[in-house]
Amino acid sequence: MEIITTIAAMQQYSKQKAREGKSIGVVPTMGCLHDGHIALVKTAKKLADCVIVTLFVNPTQFGPNEDFTRYPRDFESDRIKCEANGAEVLFAPNAAEMYQPGSSTWVVEEELSQGLCGRSRPGHFRGVTTVVAKLFNATLPDVAVFGQKDAQQALVIRRMTENLNFPVRIVIAPIVREADGMAMSSRNRYLSEDERSRAAVISASLRHAAQELHHSALPESAEVLEQVKTSLLAAGGRIDYVELCDADNLAPASSASKRLLLAIAVFFGKTRLIDNVIIELGEKVR
Ligand code: AMP
């Protein structure tokens, strides 16, 4: 596996692979890799000849009071995991390489970014879309794999890719969970043992609510959302949001929705955790 740290060398690598007729898959990450990330690498391996994992803790997507400086970093462990799972390249630029002095250009998606995490993390998606556009321009991929764990992020990136005509196929891979259902996340390591066990309520309440919503009519959803909030509060969570929206466009859930997204952001201690579930409504009469 090659480790590449400059944009020029990364572009050169990708152009050479393209000349050889090889397709490129990219998996953007902020490192501290866990099995959720590795599942994305495995998906990318199935879809492309060469897989590039990008490792960059992007400062522009963190708010001033967020966890940028203490975000977990473990380059050596990430390198070993990428190599063991067949990545061809680990692209690990530093912040000075990604953001040249005087950078003043941003990529902004103005619709899907507004609600959910966008509401409580102003500027977050501007940082995400900007860095992903830059990573696409550095790695020149045919396909990029993102996780359903960050449901809103995946939709925002798909919209950006379509709107700006990046020739990149966006694939969204399912959420990988711990044995007790907790969604894997680099931020889980911030949790104390007690917080971690209480936080299992997030996935449990999502699972329960998804079953209820599948069997109930939309007008009854307010009651189901209240149940979720009650469970989160009972476990000591501080709720940022619990929302039910259309899974395809993040608009409020309506009788026109074919799939619903039930999304949660909740703090346990100082750690903000997100998780979600998709409810397929199919031909159900509502
Ligand atoms: P991050 O390093 O947290 O920025 O995540 C990098 C990519 O991995 C994003 O596309 C995430 O959605 C995805 N990801 C993170 N956790 C999981 C998980 N538990 N299951 C699936 N994908 C995940």
Side-chain angles (χ1 to χ4, degrees):
M1 186 183 74
E2 278 190 52
I3 295 172
I4 296 179
T5 58
T6 69
I7 292 167
M10 189 64 256
Q11 288 169 333
Q12 216 178 352
Y13 174 96
S14 292
K15 285 183 185 169
Q16 179 56 33
K17 289 297 164 193
R19 278 194 290 274
E20 292 167 15
K22 301 252 170 74
S23 61
I24 293 189
V26 71
V27 179
T29 81
M30 298 207 298
C32 203
L33 303 181
H34 50 65
D35 286 352
H37 297 112
I38 299 307
L40 306 188
V41 175
K42 288 182 177 157
T43 299
K45 288 289 290 178
K46 288 193 193 126
L47 299 172
D49 300 317
C50 294
V51 170
I52 302 167
V53 177
T54 73
L55 195 176
F56 180 61
V57 184
N58 174 36
T60 66
Q61 70 188 68
F62 289 81
N65 299 318
E66 293 183 356
D67 56 345
F68 173 66
T69 44
R70 71 179 188 118
Y71 195 84
R73 291 160 170 87
D74 193 345
F75 181 81
E76 194 45 23
S77 156
D78 291 345
R79 185 189 67 72
I80 290 167
K81 286 179 186 168
C82 287
E83 182 143 44
N85 287 283
E88 273 72 20
V89 176
L90 180 56
F91 177 53
N94 63 24
E97 177 68 9
M98 284 300 283
Y99 293 102
Q100 307 285 339
S103 283
S104 58
T105 305
W106 297 93
V107 177
V108 183
E109 192 289 322
E110 295 192 332
E111 189 179 285
L112 301 174
S113 313
Q114 300 298 318
L116 302 174
C117 292
R119 194 173 301 123
S120 36
R121 303 184 68 190
H124 169 68
F125 286 113
R126 179 180 85 150
V128 169
T129 42
T130 300
V131 82
V132 171
K134 288 165 73 66
L135 290 169
F136 283 178
N137 283 333
T139 58
L140 308 173
D142 299 285
V143 56
V145 186
F146 294 88
Q148 176 62 24
K149 162 81 173 19
D150 297 85
Q152 184 178 17
Q153 168 176 281
L155 291 181
V156 167
I157 287 167
R158 180 173 273 164
R159 176 73 63 87
M160 173 199 80
T161 304
E162 285 167 8
N163 289 172
L164 298 186
N165 309 107
F166 280 101
V168 182
R169 175 180 162 208
I170 304 297
V171 170
I172 305 176
I175 301 176
V176 177
R177 298 180 177 281
E178 306 281 0
D180 67 350
M182 177 91 164
M184 290 190 182
S185 165
S186 309
R187 289 191 167 99
N188 289 353
R189 63 174 62 194
Y190 295 152
L191 299 168
S192 68
E193 210 176 304
D194 174 54
E195 288 165 349
R196 170 64 187 82
S197 69
R198 287 187 286 116
V201 71
I202 304 170
S203 57
S205 63
L206 278 174
R207 212 167 36 240
H208 180 71
Q211 276 165 7
E212 297 269 307
L213 288 167
H214 200 80
H215 296 299
S216 66
L218 205 51
E220 292 153 31
S221 64
E223 201 179 309
V224 178
L225 297 191
E226 278 314 308
Q227 282 171 16
V228 172
K229 289 180 187 167
T230 305
S231 319
L232 294 172
L233 292 172
R238 182 163 60 82
I239 296 170
D240 179 349
Y241 62 75
V242 173
E243 281 194 40
L244 186 67
C245 49
D246 187 298
D248 297 315
N249 56 25
L250 304 184
S254 77
S255 54
S257 305
K258 294 198 175 64
R259 304 181 323 138
L260 300 179
L261 175 76
L262 175 56
I264 292 178
V266 58
F267 287 87
F268 277 83
K270 289 199 170 90
T271 307
R272 184 175 178 278
L273 301 168
I274 58 171
D275 197 355
N276 67 84
V277 65
I278 290 202
I279 300 129
E280 303 277 352
L281 296 175
E283 295 304 308
K284 201 174 96 168
V285 178
R286 276 166 282 143

